[in-house]
mmCIF file with all atom_site columns, all heavy atoms in Angstrom:
data_model
loop_
_atom_site.group_PDB
_atom_site.id
_atom_site.type_symbol
_atom_site.label_atom_id
_atom_site.label_alt_id
_atom_site.label_comp_id
_atom_site.label_asym_id
_atom_site.label_entity_id
_atom_site.label_seq_id
_atom_site.pdbx_PDB_ins_code
_atom_site.Cartn_x
_atom_site.Cartn_y
_atom_site.Cartn_z
_atom_site.occupancy
_atom_site.B_iso_or_equiv
_atom_site.pdbx_formal_charge
_atom_site.auth_seq_id
_atom_site.auth_comp_id
_atom_site.auth_asym_id
_atom_site.auth_atom_id
_atom_site.pdbx_PDB_model_num
ATOM 1   N N   . PHE A 1 1  ? -13.231 5.024   8.453   1.00 91.00 ? 1  PHE A N   1
ATOM 2   C CA  . PHE A 1 1  ? -13.398 3.588   8.612   1.00 91.00 ? 1  PHE A CA  1
ATOM 3   C C   . PHE A 1 1  ? -14.732 3.151   8.044   1.00 91.00 ? 1  PHE A C   1
ATOM 4   O O   . PHE A 1 1  ? -15.725 3.829   8.212   1.00 91.00 ? 1  PHE A O   1
ATOM 5   C CB  . PHE A 1 1  ? -13.300 3.179   10.094  1.00 91.00 ? 1  PHE A CB  1
ATOM 6   C CG  . PHE A 1 1  ? -11.904 2.825   10.504  1.00 91.00 ? 1  PHE A CG  1
ATOM 7   C CD1 . PHE A 1 1  ? -11.143 3.710   11.230  1.00 91.00 ? 1  PHE A CD1 1
ATOM 8   C CD2 . PHE A 1 1  ? -11.347 1.612   10.135  1.00 91.00 ? 1  PHE A CD2 1
ATOM 9   C CE1 . PHE A 1 1  ? -9.838  3.397   11.594  1.00 91.00 ? 1  PHE A CE1 1
ATOM 10  C CE2 . PHE A 1 1  ? -10.054 1.286   10.499  1.00 91.00 ? 1  PHE A CE2 1
ATOM 11  C CZ  . PHE A 1 1  ? -9.296  2.186   11.226  1.00 91.00 ? 1  PHE A CZ  1
ATOM 12  N N   . PRO A 1 2  ? -14.732 2.025   7.335   1.00 93.00 ? 2  PRO A N   1
ATOM 13  C CA  . PRO A 1 2  ? -13.675 1.021   7.168   1.00 93.00 ? 2  PRO A CA  1
ATOM 14  C C   . PRO A 1 2  ? -12.967 1.074   5.806   1.00 93.00 ? 2  PRO A C   1
ATOM 15  O O   . PRO A 1 2  ? -12.298 0.128   5.427   1.00 93.00 ? 2  PRO A O   1
ATOM 16  C CB  . PRO A 1 2  ? -14.454 -0.290  7.305   1.00 93.00 ? 2  PRO A CB  1
ATOM 17  C CG  . PRO A 1 2  ? -15.766 0.000   6.629   1.00 93.00 ? 2  PRO A CG  1
ATOM 18  C CD  . PRO A 1 2  ? -16.053 1.456   6.960   1.00 93.00 ? 2  PRO A CD  1
ATOM 19  N N   . GLU A 1 3  ? -13.089 2.182   5.034   1.00 94.00 ? 3  GLU A N   1
ATOM 20  C CA  . GLU A 1 3  ? -12.583 2.194   3.658   1.00 94.00 ? 3  GLU A CA  1
ATOM 21  C C   . GLU A 1 3  ? -11.100 2.537   3.576   1.00 94.00 ? 3  GLU A C   1
ATOM 22  O O   . GLU A 1 3  ? -10.672 3.607   4.001   1.00 94.00 ? 3  GLU A O   1
ATOM 23  C CB  . GLU A 1 3  ? -13.373 3.170   2.794   1.00 94.00 ? 3  GLU A CB  1
ATOM 24  C CG  . GLU A 1 3  ? -13.005 3.063   1.338   1.00 94.00 ? 3  GLU A CG  1
ATOM 25  C CD  . GLU A 1 3  ? -13.879 3.881   0.422   1.00 94.00 ? 3  GLU A CD  1
ATOM 26  O OE1 . GLU A 1 3  ? -14.972 4.290   0.828   1.00 94.00 ? 3  GLU A OE1 1
ATOM 27  O OE2 . GLU A 1 3  ? -13.445 4.111   -0.717  1.00 94.00 ? 3  GLU A OE2 1
ATOM 28  N N   . VAL A 1 4  ? -10.334 1.620   2.989   1.00 96.00 ? 4  VAL A N   1
ATOM 29  C CA  . VAL A 1 4  ? -8.896  1.811   2.827   1.00 96.00 ? 4  VAL A CA  1
ATOM 30  C C   . VAL A 1 4  ? -8.587  2.376   1.441   1.00 96.00 ? 4  VAL A C   1
ATOM 31  O O   . VAL A 1 4  ? -9.363  2.209   0.500   1.00 96.00 ? 4  VAL A O   1
ATOM 32  C CB  . VAL A 1 4  ? -8.105  0.494   3.025   1.00 96.00 ? 4  VAL A CB  1
ATOM 33  C CG1 . VAL A 1 4  ? -8.300  -0.053  4.422   1.00 96.00 ? 4  VAL A CG1 1
ATOM 34  C CG2 . VAL A 1 4  ? -8.458  -0.542  1.989   1.00 96.00 ? 4  VAL A CG2 1
ATOM 35  N N   . GLY A 1 5  ? -7.450  3.016   1.351   1.00 94.00 ? 5  GLY A N   1
ATOM 36  C CA  . GLY A 1 5  ? -6.958  3.523   0.082   1.00 94.00 ? 5  GLY A CA  1
ATOM 37  C C   . GLY A 1 5  ? -5.446  3.623   0.118   1.00 94.00 ? 5  GLY A C   1
ATOM 38  O O   . GLY A 1 5  ? -4.839  3.668   1.194   1.00 94.00 ? 5  GLY A O   1
ATOM 39  N N   . PHE A 1 6  ? -4.841  3.658   -1.046  1.00 95.00 ? 6  PHE A N   1
ATOM 40  C CA  . PHE A 1 6  ? -3.390  3.744   -1.118  1.00 95.00 ? 6  PHE A CA  1
ATOM 41  C C   . PHE A 1 6  ? -2.981  4.339   -2.454  1.00 95.00 ? 6  PHE A C   1
ATOM 42  O O   . PHE A 1 6  ? -3.712  4.256   -3.444  1.00 95.00 ? 6  PHE A O   1
ATOM 43  C CB  . PHE A 1 6  ? -2.729  2.371   -0.929  1.00 95.00 ? 6  PHE A CB  1
ATOM 44  C CG  . PHE A 1 6  ? -3.288  1.292   -1.805  1.00 95.00 ? 6  PHE A CG  1
ATOM 45  C CD1 . PHE A 1 6  ? -2.807  1.085   -3.090  1.00 95.00 ? 6  PHE A CD1 1
ATOM 46  C CD2 . PHE A 1 6  ? -4.312  0.474   -1.350  1.00 95.00 ? 6  PHE A CD2 1
ATOM 47  C CE1 . PHE A 1 6  ? -3.334  0.088   -3.903  1.00 95.00 ? 6  PHE A CE1 1
ATOM 48  C CE2 . PHE A 1 6  ? -4.839  -0.534  -2.148  1.00 95.00 ? 6  PHE A CE2 1
ATOM 49  C CZ  . PHE A 1 6  ? -4.347  -0.726  -3.424  1.00 95.00 ? 6  PHE A CZ  1
ATOM 50  N N   . ILE A 1 7  ? -1.809  4.957   -2.461  1.00 94.00 ? 7  ILE A N   1
ATOM 51  C CA  . ILE A 1 7  ? -1.201  5.459   -3.689  1.00 94.00 ? 7  ILE A CA  1
ATOM 52  C C   . ILE A 1 7  ? 0.306   5.399   -3.495  1.00 94.00 ? 7  ILE A C   1
ATOM 53  O O   . ILE A 1 7  ? 0.816   5.718   -2.416  1.00 94.00 ? 7  ILE A O   1
ATOM 54  C CB  . ILE A 1 7  ? -1.697  6.890   -4.022  1.00 94.00 ? 7  ILE A CB  1
ATOM 55  C CG1 . ILE A 1 7  ? -1.233  7.325   -5.408  1.00 94.00 ? 7  ILE A CG1 1
ATOM 56  C CG2 . ILE A 1 7  ? -1.297  7.883   -2.939  1.00 94.00 ? 7  ILE A CG2 1
ATOM 57  C CD1 . ILE A 1 7  ? -1.920  8.587   -5.929  1.00 94.00 ? 7  ILE A CD1 1
ATOM 58  N N   . PHE A 1 8  ? 1.004   4.955   -4.540  1.00 95.00 ? 8  PHE A N   1
ATOM 59  C CA  . PHE A 1 8  ? 2.456   4.823   -4.491  1.00 95.00 ? 8  PHE A CA  1
ATOM 60  C C   . PHE A 1 8  ? 3.074   5.465   -5.722  1.00 95.00 ? 8  PHE A C   1
ATOM 61  O O   . PHE A 1 8  ? 2.445   5.520   -6.789  1.00 95.00 ? 8  PHE A O   1
ATOM 62  C CB  . PHE A 1 8  ? 2.861   3.340   -4.429  1.00 95.00 ? 8  PHE A CB  1
ATOM 63  C CG  . PHE A 1 8  ? 2.446   2.677   -3.153  1.00 95.00 ? 8  PHE A CG  1
ATOM 64  C CD1 . PHE A 1 8  ? 1.265   1.960   -3.076  1.00 95.00 ? 8  PHE A CD1 1
ATOM 65  C CD2 . PHE A 1 8  ? 3.225   2.787   -2.020  1.00 95.00 ? 8  PHE A CD2 1
ATOM 66  C CE1 . PHE A 1 8  ? 0.862   1.358   -1.902  1.00 95.00 ? 8  PHE A CE1 1
ATOM 67  C CE2 . PHE A 1 8  ? 2.840   2.189   -0.829  1.00 95.00 ? 8  PHE A CE2 1
ATOM 68  C CZ  . PHE A 1 8  ? 1.655   1.479   -0.773  1.00 95.00 ? 8  PHE A CZ  1
ATOM 69  N N   . HIS A 1 9  ? 4.289   5.925   -5.567  1.00 95.00 ? 9  HIS A N   1
ATOM 70  C CA  . HIS A 1 9  ? 5.011   6.503   -6.698  1.00 95.00 ? 9  HIS A CA  1
ATOM 71  C C   . HIS A 1 9  ? 5.188   5.422   -7.768  1.00 95.00 ? 9  HIS A C   1
ATOM 72  O O   . HIS A 1 9  ? 5.528   4.278   -7.445  1.00 95.00 ? 9  HIS A O   1
ATOM 73  C CB  . HIS A 1 9  ? 6.371   7.024   -6.243  1.00 95.00 ? 9  HIS A CB  1
ATOM 74  C CG  . HIS A 1 9  ? 6.983   7.950   -7.243  1.00 95.00 ? 9  HIS A CG  1
ATOM 75  N ND1 . HIS A 1 9  ? 7.497   7.504   -8.444  1.00 95.00 ? 9  HIS A ND1 1
ATOM 76  C CD2 . HIS A 1 9  ? 7.133   9.294   -7.240  1.00 95.00 ? 9  HIS A CD2 1
ATOM 77  C CE1 . HIS A 1 9  ? 7.961   8.529   -9.131  1.00 95.00 ? 9  HIS A CE1 1
ATOM 78  N NE2 . HIS A 1 9  ? 7.745   9.631   -8.430  1.00 95.00 ? 9  HIS A NE2 1
ATOM 79  N N   . PRO A 1 10 ? 4.961   5.765   -9.040  1.00 93.00 ? 10 PRO A N   1
ATOM 80  C CA  . PRO A 1 10 ? 5.100   4.763   -10.110 1.00 93.00 ? 10 PRO A CA  1
ATOM 81  C C   . PRO A 1 10 ? 6.452   4.051   -10.147 1.00 93.00 ? 10 PRO A C   1
ATOM 82  O O   . PRO A 1 10 ? 6.523   2.901   -10.565 1.00 93.00 ? 10 PRO A O   1
ATOM 83  C CB  . PRO A 1 10 ? 4.856   5.568   -11.391 1.00 93.00 ? 10 PRO A CB  1
ATOM 84  C CG  . PRO A 1 10 ? 3.948   6.677   -10.958 1.00 93.00 ? 10 PRO A CG  1
ATOM 85  C CD  . PRO A 1 10 ? 4.421   7.037   -9.563  1.00 93.00 ? 10 PRO A CD  1
ATOM 86  N N   . ARG A 1 11 ? 7.515   4.696   -9.683  1.00 94.00 ? 11 ARG A N   1
ATOM 87  C CA  . ARG A 1 11 ? 8.830   4.034   -9.719  1.00 94.00 ? 11 ARG A CA  1
ATOM 88  C C   . ARG A 1 11 ? 8.886   2.816   -8.794  1.00 94.00 ? 11 ARG A C   1
ATOM 89  O O   . ARG A 1 11 ? 9.784   1.992   -8.911  1.00 94.00 ? 11 ARG A O   1
ATOM 90  C CB  . ARG A 1 11 ? 9.954   5.013   -9.409  1.00 94.00 ? 11 ARG A CB  1
ATOM 91  C CG  . ARG A 1 11 ? 10.082  5.383   -7.949  1.00 94.00 ? 11 ARG A CG  1
ATOM 92  C CD  . ARG A 1 11 ? 11.346  6.220   -7.670  1.00 94.00 ? 11 ARG A CD  1
ATOM 93  N NE  . ARG A 1 11 ? 11.418  6.573   -6.286  1.00 94.00 ? 11 ARG A NE  1
ATOM 94  C CZ  . ARG A 1 11 ? 10.884  7.655   -5.733  1.00 94.00 ? 11 ARG A CZ  1
ATOM 95  N NH1 . ARG A 1 11 ? 10.257  8.536   -6.478  1.00 94.00 ? 11 ARG A NH1 1
ATOM 96  N NH2 . ARG A 1 11 ? 10.997  7.882   -4.441  1.00 94.00 ? 11 ARG A NH2 1
ATOM 97  N N   . THR A 1 12 ? 7.908   2.692   -7.890  1.00 94.00 ? 12 THR A N   1
ATOM 98  C CA  . THR A 1 12 ? 7.897   1.557   -6.953  1.00 94.00 ? 12 THR A CA  1
ATOM 99  C C   . THR A 1 12 ? 6.994   0.420   -7.415  1.00 94.00 ? 12 THR A C   1
ATOM 100 O O   . THR A 1 12 ? 7.002   -0.648  -6.811  1.00 94.00 ? 12 THR A O   1
ATOM 101 C CB  . THR A 1 12 ? 7.421   2.001   -5.555  1.00 94.00 ? 12 THR A CB  1
ATOM 102 O OG1 . THR A 1 12 ? 6.029   2.354   -5.617  1.00 94.00 ? 12 THR A OG1 1
ATOM 103 C CG2 . THR A 1 12 ? 8.232   3.175   -5.038  1.00 94.00 ? 12 THR A CG2 1
ATOM 104 N N   . TRP A 1 13 ? 6.230   0.642   -8.459  1.00 92.00 ? 13 TRP A N   1
ATOM 105 C CA  . TRP A 1 13 ? 5.263   -0.352  -8.903  1.00 92.00 ? 13 TRP A CA  1
ATOM 106 C C   . TRP A 1 13 ? 5.962   -1.648  -9.317  1.00 92.00 ? 13 TRP A C   1
ATOM 107 O O   . TRP A 1 13 ? 7.052   -1.641  -9.880  1.00 92.00 ? 13 TRP A O   1
ATOM 108 C CB  . TRP A 1 13 ? 4.444   0.172   -10.072 1.00 92.00 ? 13 TRP A CB  1
ATOM 109 C CG  . TRP A 1 13 ? 3.553   1.343   -9.722  1.00 92.00 ? 13 TRP A CG  1
ATOM 110 C CD1 . TRP A 1 13 ? 3.305   1.865   -8.485  1.00 92.00 ? 13 TRP A CD1 1
ATOM 111 C CD2 . TRP A 1 13 ? 2.805   2.144   -10.638 1.00 92.00 ? 13 TRP A CD2 1
ATOM 112 N NE1 . TRP A 1 13 ? 2.441   2.932   -8.576  1.00 92.00 ? 13 TRP A NE1 1
ATOM 113 C CE2 . TRP A 1 13 ? 2.118   3.128   -9.887  1.00 92.00 ? 13 TRP A CE2 1
ATOM 114 C CE3 . TRP A 1 13 ? 2.651   2.122   -12.011 1.00 92.00 ? 13 TRP A CE3 1
ATOM 115 C CZ2 . TRP A 1 13 ? 1.292   4.077   -10.474 1.00 92.00 ? 13 TRP A CZ2 1
ATOM 116 C CZ3 . TRP A 1 13 ? 1.827   3.070   -12.602 1.00 92.00 ? 13 TRP A CZ3 1
ATOM 117 C CH2 . TRP A 1 13 ? 1.156   4.037   -11.837 1.00 92.00 ? 13 TRP A CH2 1
ATOM 118 N N   . GLY A 1 14 ? 5.324   -2.760  -9.044  1.00 91.00 ? 14 GLY A N   1
ATOM 119 C CA  . GLY A 1 14 ? 5.838   -4.062  -9.452  1.00 91.00 ? 14 GLY A CA  1
ATOM 120 C C   . GLY A 1 14 ? 6.925   -4.621  -8.559  1.00 91.00 ? 14 GLY A C   1
ATOM 121 O O   . GLY A 1 14 ? 7.538   -5.636  -8.899  1.00 91.00 ? 14 GLY A O   1
ATOM 122 N N   . GLN A 1 15 ? 7.172   -3.999  -7.401  1.00 93.00 ? 15 GLN A N   1
ATOM 123 C CA  . GLN A 1 15 ? 8.226   -4.450  -6.494  1.00 93.00 ? 15 GLN A CA  1
ATOM 124 C C   . GLN A 1 15 ? 7.690   -5.081  -5.213  1.00 93.00 ? 15 GLN A C   1
ATOM 125 O O   . GLN A 1 15 ? 8.462   -5.380  -4.302  1.00 93.00 ? 15 GLN A O   1
ATOM 126 C CB  . GLN A 1 15 ? 9.127   -3.266  -6.117  1.00 93.00 ? 15 GLN A CB  1
ATOM 127 C CG  . GLN A 1 15 ? 9.803   -2.614  -7.293  1.00 93.00 ? 15 GLN A CG  1
ATOM 128 C CD  . GLN A 1 15 ? 10.582  -1.375  -6.882  1.00 93.00 ? 15 GLN A CD  1
ATOM 129 O OE1 . GLN A 1 15 ? 11.058  -1.257  -5.759  1.00 93.00 ? 15 GLN A OE1 1
ATOM 130 N NE2 . GLN A 1 15 ? 10.704  -0.426  -7.794  1.00 93.00 ? 15 GLN A NE2 1
ATOM 131 N N   . GLY A 1 16 ? 6.375   -5.244  -5.107  1.00 94.00 ? 16 GLY A N   1
ATOM 132 C CA  . GLY A 1 16 ? 5.794   -5.817  -3.892  1.00 94.00 ? 16 GLY A CA  1
ATOM 133 C C   . GLY A 1 16 ? 5.653   -4.836  -2.749  1.00 94.00 ? 16 GLY A C   1
ATOM 134 O O   . GLY A 1 16 ? 5.293   -5.220  -1.634  1.00 94.00 ? 16 GLY A O   1
ATOM 135 N N   . ILE A 1 17 ? 5.926   -3.571  -3.020  1.00 95.00 ? 17 ILE A N   1
ATOM 136 C CA  . ILE A 1 17 ? 5.850   -2.529  -1.980  1.00 95.00 ? 17 ILE A CA  1
ATOM 137 C C   . ILE A 1 17 ? 4.415   -2.386  -1.469  1.00 95.00 ? 17 ILE A C   1
ATOM 138 O O   . ILE A 1 17 ? 4.175   -2.322  -0.261  1.00 95.00 ? 17 ILE A O   1
ATOM 139 C CB  . ILE A 1 17 ? 6.345   -1.174  -2.537  1.00 95.00 ? 17 ILE A CB  1
ATOM 140 C CG1 . ILE A 1 17 ? 7.797   -1.271  -2.971  1.00 95.00 ? 17 ILE A CG1 1
ATOM 141 C CG2 . ILE A 1 17 ? 6.088   -0.043  -1.555  1.00 95.00 ? 17 ILE A CG2 1
ATOM 142 C CD1 . ILE A 1 17 ? 8.824   -1.159  -1.915  1.00 95.00 ? 17 ILE A CD1 1
ATOM 143 N N   . GLY A 1 18 ? 3.466   -2.310  -2.381  1.00 95.00 ? 18 GLY A N   1
ATOM 144 C CA  . GLY A 1 18 ? 2.068   -2.144  -1.982  1.00 95.00 ? 18 GLY A CA  1
ATOM 145 C C   . GLY A 1 18 ? 1.596   -3.304  -1.121  1.00 95.00 ? 18 GLY A C   1
ATOM 146 O O   . GLY A 1 18 ? 0.929   -3.100  -0.103  1.00 95.00 ? 18 GLY A O   1
ATOM 147 N N   . TYR A 1 19 ? 1.941   -4.511  -1.515  1.00 97.00 ? 19 TYR A N   1
ATOM 148 C CA  . TYR A 1 19 ? 1.536   -5.686  -0.750  1.00 97.00 ? 19 TYR A CA  1
ATOM 149 C C   . TYR A 1 19 ? 2.167   -5.661  0.642   1.00 97.00 ? 19 TYR A C   1
ATOM 150 O O   . TYR A 1 19 ? 1.490   -5.912  1.649   1.00 97.00 ? 19 TYR A O   1
ATOM 151 C CB  . TYR A 1 19 ? 1.905   -6.966  -1.490  1.00 97.00 ? 19 TYR A CB  1
ATOM 152 C CG  . TYR A 1 19 ? 1.482   -8.202  -0.742  1.00 97.00 ? 19 TYR A CG  1
ATOM 153 C CD1 . TYR A 1 19 ? 0.151   -8.619  -0.771  1.00 97.00 ? 19 TYR A CD1 1
ATOM 154 C CD2 . TYR A 1 19 ? 2.383   -8.924  0.023   1.00 97.00 ? 19 TYR A CD2 1
ATOM 155 C CE1 . TYR A 1 19 ? -0.258  -9.741  -0.063  1.00 97.00 ? 19 TYR A CE1 1
ATOM 156 C CE2 . TYR A 1 19 ? 1.983   -10.046 0.729   1.00 97.00 ? 19 TYR A CE2 1
ATOM 157 C CZ  . TYR A 1 19 ? 0.663   -10.444 0.689   1.00 97.00 ? 19 TYR A CZ  1
ATOM 158 O OH  . TYR A 1 19 ? 0.259   -11.548 1.403   1.00 97.00 ? 19 TYR A OH  1
ATOM 159 N N   . GLU A 1 20 ? 3.439   -5.353  0.716   1.00 97.00 ? 20 GLU A N   1
ATOM 160 C CA  . GLU A 1 20 ? 4.135   -5.309  2.005   1.00 97.00 ? 20 GLU A CA  1
ATOM 161 C C   . GLU A 1 20 ? 3.525   -4.249  2.924   1.00 97.00 ? 20 GLU A C   1
ATOM 162 O O   . GLU A 1 20 ? 3.246   -4.511  4.098   1.00 97.00 ? 20 GLU A O   1
ATOM 163 C CB  . GLU A 1 20 ? 5.625   -5.022  1.766   1.00 97.00 ? 20 GLU A CB  1
ATOM 164 C CG  . GLU A 1 20 ? 6.465   -5.040  3.016   1.00 97.00 ? 20 GLU A CG  1
ATOM 165 C CD  . GLU A 1 20 ? 7.947   -4.873  2.730   1.00 97.00 ? 20 GLU A CD  1
ATOM 166 O OE1 . GLU A 1 20 ? 8.409   -5.250  1.623   1.00 97.00 ? 20 GLU A OE1 1
ATOM 167 O OE2 . GLU A 1 20 ? 8.661   -4.357  3.613   1.00 97.00 ? 20 GLU A OE2 1
ATOM 168 N N   . ALA A 1 21 ? 3.297   -3.068  2.372   1.00 97.00 ? 21 ALA A N   1
ATOM 169 C CA  . ALA A 1 21 ? 2.737   -1.975  3.176   1.00 97.00 ? 21 ALA A CA  1
ATOM 170 C C   . ALA A 1 21 ? 1.307   -2.275  3.606   1.00 97.00 ? 21 ALA A C   1
ATOM 171 O O   . ALA A 1 21 ? 0.944   -2.095  4.776   1.00 97.00 ? 21 ALA A O   1
ATOM 172 C CB  . ALA A 1 21 ? 2.796   -0.669  2.379   1.00 97.00 ? 21 ALA A CB  1
ATOM 173 N N   . MET A 1 22 ? 0.491   -2.739  2.672   1.00 97.00 ? 22 MET A N   1
ATOM 174 C CA  . MET A 1 22 ? -0.917  -2.992  2.994   1.00 97.00 ? 22 MET A CA  1
ATOM 175 C C   . MET A 1 22 ? -1.083  -4.203  3.909   1.00 97.00 ? 22 MET A C   1
ATOM 176 O O   . MET A 1 22 ? -2.007  -4.239  4.722   1.00 97.00 ? 22 MET A O   1
ATOM 177 C CB  . MET A 1 22 ? -1.732  -3.154  1.714   1.00 97.00 ? 22 MET A CB  1
ATOM 178 C CG  . MET A 1 22 ? -2.002  -1.834  1.002   1.00 97.00 ? 22 MET A CG  1
ATOM 179 S SD  . MET A 1 22 ? -2.998  -0.682  1.983   1.00 97.00 ? 22 MET A SD  1
ATOM 180 C CE  . MET A 1 22 ? -4.557  -1.567  2.053   1.00 97.00 ? 22 MET A CE  1
ATOM 181 N N   . SER A 1 23 ? -0.220  -5.190  3.809   1.00 96.00 ? 23 SER A N   1
ATOM 182 C CA  . SER A 1 23 ? -0.282  -6.332  4.734   1.00 96.00 ? 23 SER A CA  1
ATOM 183 C C   . SER A 1 23 ? -0.074  -5.857  6.163   1.00 96.00 ? 23 SER A C   1
ATOM 184 O O   . SER A 1 23 ? -0.818  -6.245  7.076   1.00 96.00 ? 23 SER A O   1
ATOM 185 C CB  . SER A 1 23 ? 0.778   -7.381  4.383   1.00 96.00 ? 23 SER A CB  1
ATOM 186 O OG  . SER A 1 23 ? 0.496   -7.992  3.162   1.00 96.00 ? 23 SER A OG  1
ATOM 187 N N   . ALA A 1 24 ? 0.940   -5.026  6.353   1.00 97.00 ? 24 ALA A N   1
ATOM 188 C CA  . ALA A 1 24 ? 1.212   -4.491  7.695   1.00 97.00 ? 24 ALA A CA  1
ATOM 189 C C   . ALA A 1 24 ? 0.073   -3.595  8.161   1.00 97.00 ? 24 ALA A C   1
ATOM 190 O O   . ALA A 1 24 ? -0.333  -3.646  9.329   1.00 97.00 ? 24 ALA A O   1
ATOM 191 C CB  . ALA A 1 24 ? 2.532   -3.723  7.688   1.00 97.00 ? 24 ALA A CB  1
ATOM 192 N N   . PHE A 1 25 ? -0.460  -2.794  7.249   1.00 97.00 ? 25 PHE A N   1
ATOM 193 C CA  . PHE A 1 25 ? -1.532  -1.873  7.626   1.00 97.00 ? 25 PHE A CA  1
ATOM 194 C C   . PHE A 1 25 ? -2.817  -2.623  7.984   1.00 97.00 ? 25 PHE A C   1
ATOM 195 O O   . PHE A 1 25 ? -3.483  -2.286  8.970   1.00 97.00 ? 25 PHE A O   1
ATOM 196 C CB  . PHE A 1 25 ? -1.797  -0.855  6.512   1.00 97.00 ? 25 PHE A CB  1
ATOM 197 C CG  . PHE A 1 25 ? -2.903  0.088   6.864   1.00 97.00 ? 25 PHE A CG  1
ATOM 198 C CD1 . PHE A 1 25 ? -2.727  1.042   7.850   1.00 97.00 ? 25 PHE A CD1 1
ATOM 199 C CD2 . PHE A 1 25 ? -4.124  0.003   6.228   1.00 97.00 ? 25 PHE A CD2 1
ATOM 200 C CE1 . PHE A 1 25 ? -3.760  1.903   8.206   1.00 97.00 ? 25 PHE A CE1 1
ATOM 201 C CE2 . PHE A 1 25 ? -5.160  0.850   6.569   1.00 97.00 ? 25 PHE A CE2 1
ATOM 202 C CZ  . PHE A 1 25 ? -4.980  1.811   7.560   1.00 97.00 ? 25 PHE A CZ  1
ATOM 203 N N   . THR A 1 26 ? -3.191  -3.631  7.215   1.00 96.00 ? 26 THR A N   1
ATOM 204 C CA  . THR A 1 26 ? -4.418  -4.359  7.538   1.00 96.00 ? 26 THR A CA  1
ATOM 205 C C   . THR A 1 26 ? -4.279  -5.076  8.882   1.00 96.00 ? 26 THR A C   1
ATOM 206 O O   . THR A 1 26 ? -5.228  -5.097  9.674   1.00 96.00 ? 26 THR A O   1
ATOM 207 C CB  . THR A 1 26 ? -4.837  -5.344  6.428   1.00 96.00 ? 26 THR A CB  1
ATOM 208 O OG1 . THR A 1 26 ? -3.782  -6.262  6.180   1.00 96.00 ? 26 THR A OG1 1
ATOM 209 C CG2 . THR A 1 26 ? -5.198  -4.617  5.152   1.00 96.00 ? 26 THR A CG2 1
ATOM 210 N N   . ALA A 1 27 ? -3.113  -5.633  9.175   1.00 95.00 ? 27 ALA A N   1
ATOM 211 C CA  . ALA A 1 27 ? -2.884  -6.254  10.488  1.00 95.00 ? 27 ALA A CA  1
ATOM 212 C C   . ALA A 1 27 ? -3.037  -5.213  11.592  1.00 95.00 ? 27 ALA A C   1
ATOM 213 O O   . ALA A 1 27 ? -3.645  -5.483  12.639  1.00 95.00 ? 27 ALA A O   1
ATOM 214 C CB  . ALA A 1 27 ? -1.501  -6.907  10.532  1.00 95.00 ? 27 ALA A CB  1
ATOM 215 N N   . HIS A 1 28 ? -2.513  -4.026  11.362  1.00 95.00 ? 28 HIS A N   1
ATOM 216 C CA  . HIS A 1 28 ? -2.643  -2.917  12.323  1.00 95.00 ? 28 HIS A CA  1
ATOM 217 C C   . HIS A 1 28 ? -4.118  -2.584  12.548  1.00 95.00 ? 28 HIS A C   1
ATOM 218 O O   . HIS A 1 28 ? -4.558  -2.414  13.683  1.00 95.00 ? 28 HIS A O   1
ATOM 219 C CB  . HIS A 1 28 ? -1.877  -1.701  11.792  1.00 95.00 ? 28 HIS A CB  1
ATOM 220 C CG  . HIS A 1 28 ? -2.249  -0.406  12.394  1.00 95.00 ? 28 HIS A CG  1
ATOM 221 N ND1 . HIS A 1 28 ? -1.826  -0.013  13.647  1.00 95.00 ? 28 HIS A ND1 1
ATOM 222 C CD2 . HIS A 1 28 ? -3.022  0.601   11.916  1.00 95.00 ? 28 HIS A CD2 1
ATOM 223 C CE1 . HIS A 1 28 ? -2.323  1.188   13.910  1.00 95.00 ? 28 HIS A CE1 1
ATOM 224 N NE2 . HIS A 1 28 ? -3.047  1.580   12.882  1.00 95.00 ? 28 HIS A NE2 1
#
């Protein structure tokens, strides 16, 4: 804490997955 990081499989890029996941995580 407090540094966040993320990595996603390239096949998911451009689908809003990162935003959806990180929105939920930051709220958490």
